[in-house]
Amino acid sequence: MRKTVSAAIPFVVVTLLVEGLVRAGWIQAFLVPPPSAVFQTILRDWPELSEAFAKTSAGAILGFLLSSLAGVAIAVFLSSSRRVQDAFYPYAVFFQTVPIIAIAPLLVIWFGYGLRTVVASAFIASIFPVIANTLDGILSTDPALRDLFRLYRASPAATLWKLRFPAALPQILTGLRIAGGLAVIGAIVGEFLGGQGLGSVIDIARTQQRTDKVFAAVLLASVLGLALFGLINIVSRLVLRSWHVSEQS
Amino acid sequence: MNLDRRSFLKTIPAAGLLAGCGKASKIRLALNWKPDPEFGGFYAADFSKHGLDVEILPGGAGTPTVQMIGAGSAEFGIVAADDALVARAQKNDIVALFAVFQTNPMGIMAHASRKLKSIEDVLKGGTLAMQSGLPYARILRKKFAFDRVKVVPSTGGDLTSFLKDENFAQQCFVMDEPLHAKRQGVEVTVFPVSDMGYNPYTTMLAVNGETLRKNPDLAKNMVDAVREGWRTYLDNPASANARMHALNPTVELESFAESAVAQRSLIEANPLGKMTRERWETLAAQLKELGDIPQVPPVEQAFRDL
Amino acid sequence: MTEASIAADRSVALRLSGIRRAFTDLVVIDDLTLDVAAGEFLAILGPSGCGKSTLLRVIAGLISIDSGTLDAEPSGAKLQTAFVFQDANLLPWLTVLENAALPLELTGVGGAERLAIASRVLAEVGLSDAESRYPAQLSGGMRMRVSLARALVTEPRLLLLDEPFAALDEITRFRLEVRLRDLWIERGMTVIFVTHSITEAAFLANRAVVLTRRGCHIRLDRRLALPQVRDNQVRLSAPFADEMKLLLGAMEEED
């Protein structure tokens, strides 16, 4: 409980500060809406915003789950040999650098308008940190531990699943933490293309110069990102609780 | 000079201009899209002849020219009349000086093979890509039933989906996308938005109200230069097209030439760029009915005939 | 009972002939020939960086040799070998019991059976109460005991230890040295123990080899004249001091 209060204090302070500055005219309201207007909009347009929130959540969470599973699988594949890494890792970097807007028409053609494009966009945006962190974790296993496994003639598969993968878990979870937020951003960009959810709310409100609604949607998107982050932290605590230094108090 | 806090931030750009009053000081003109024939007259204008040192800032998808003018990151900008009225209702004091398009160039285009006769026909089936937040789109929704057409977000000028799917219709600028489609082998029917009674001035040169009050000569010189530039461009678009093409090479030069011809009838007026109170009042009434502005404002404050 | 009268099996457990190993241009092991008798407790002494850890890893089969031969008894087949590292090297996500059972898991022994074996061996090193704890909750000494237990679960015929007690405090070290020697006597395995501590070598081994600073050449190869059964009192005896003097002399010699 105390952690939540500590985290909330900066938010409250900044909100009050911005409210004051806008009301006094120091910040123009057409650039930054007063927080009171944003909250009013959230309350007034709640049915529309909550439905949009649900849609974006679905897209982001599905995209994130897919990128987590695929990312770990790809990293395991890449870890199998130096040659495999050299051959395929550069293509993984493609996922990180491609601007989704650039491939937008293609995404829409392949996945249509709606949830599938949103999930695809969230997937593309969030998969690389999972691959990079998982691979790094698997490849960074303590050489002495690897010697131990070699001594008992453990097969490469046994070494992977009984040693390298569990040893990589802290790193994998770090990658997931990063990917969660990126999945939310990716989902929203996908919604600019696919036409639903918070992304659509932002896109339409922007053309109407409804900055209050834009900020309201952005705020809700942040809540989604926070929720995902919190979820991963819970998983991390459960998995690492007994043995990793990061979860010992 | 009025230095209460309210206008403090707005005086900063104006003060900068005052410092350069009389000499050619750097003026920024922010476009709301990439350089193409809809801005031809601006690139054809001879600003230095009118004592102005103008830097044209190309824009793109979502460039917030309305906010840029309000915040002072550009002295002049290109805005549409409906955006201007909504901005003014939010206490963003921007003033329109010159309207390039006398007729709104926006439209809906569909494959000619569908043999559609009106916008209403377009809404009877298939897919329609448009910016649902724009006033014209919401007017359409009020007027017609949308239960049989699938509305998707605007493609931002991209024609990939349109070319692939015969039942895909999309928002366009009448002198732009239809010509591209034709060049790719697809004949289109275009339904101008102005035909359905929604006809705001478009591609207007706008300025910050404070700047205008402090420096009316600057604004007048700017309008003169722009008016001349548009006359030049309408009569002879080639050199301005070449200049714009260098900045926006993804579109072919011949497209520019075709668009320049196609848009002429939407622009010609005497004098070029003129605006009337009537049209502004009509627009204000339409926006009030949509709920985009709380009440009809005194429209003479929204534009100036210089 | 003294060394001389032990009915030790004089057959050779390990024969190294002309072993050579170089890393780029540094020759770490230069033409080493050494026989290790079955059931022997051999201490390999040398200054830091002389290659003794490399030698141990060569014996374990973790590092390959450039030339020479390595023969284990029975001839041809590899001896059942276990290794205790300098760092306890436990898997942090497994309990003490699971860690100890790991070699059995890797060699295909079933779940209940391997845990039972591990439990018995953990009792031998005095860790029965800690079976369900995780390595993060153990002291350095306890972690090393788990490592030791882990090495013993496969009933190895050859036990290799690479300075295992170097990071521990003195009293813990003394305790573990006593325990290790007892385990050696109980199980009758061949032990090769690498260390830079003369006291440790003298206390633990019945044969000590001192290596040169470079190239792993043997400077001294000595059967220690000390009793078979040793407790900490031995450290204060005259024969112990004599052996220490000899070993110290060999260690201090210039190349």
Side-chain angles (χ1 to χ4, degrees), chain C residues 230-244:
Chain C
R230 302 176 198 173
D231 59 17
N232 281 316
Q233 290 304 311
V234 166
R235 300 180 194 269
L236 310 169
S237 68
F240 194 83
D242 291 336
E243 293 298 341
M244 289 277 295

Side-chain angles (χ1 to χ4, degrees), chain C residues 71-88:
Chain C
D71 274 328
E73 166 272 335
S75 55
K78 262 275 186 303
L79 266 183
Q80 249 281 44
T81 305
F83 202 108
V84 177
F85 299 85
Q86 193 160 1
D87 186 30

Side-chain angles (χ1 to χ4, degrees), chain B residues 162-222:
Chain B
F162 183 81
L163 295 171
K164 267 193 99 182
D165 178 5
E166 197 197 355
N167 288 311
F168 194 94
Q170 69 180 65
Q171 168 182 310
C172 67
F173 270 13
V174 305
M175 69 286 186
D176 196 352
E177 286 95 326
L179 298 178
H180 288 305
K182 194 164 168 190
R183 208 169 299 119
Q184 308 259 32
V186 175
E187 293 287 335
V188 304
T189 324
V190 183
F191 302 101
V193 164
S194 53
D195 279 357
M196 40 168 273
Y198 184 70
N199 196 8
Y201 291 117
T202 315
T203 313
M204 307 184 310
L205 177 75
V207 68
N208 185 301
E210 192 76 26
T211 308
L212 178 61
R213 278 188 286 285
K214 300 277 182 274
N215 206 340
D217 288 337
L218 169 69
K220 173 105 177 65
N221 291 335
M222 191 72 179

Side-chain angles (χ1 to χ4, degrees), chain B residues 120-138:
Chain B
E120 200 173 354
D121 283 352
V122 177
L123 302 175
K124 291 204 176 124
T127 313
L128 171 59
M130 63 176 181
Q131 286 178 281
S132 303
L134 292 181
Y136 91 83
R138 284 176 286 127

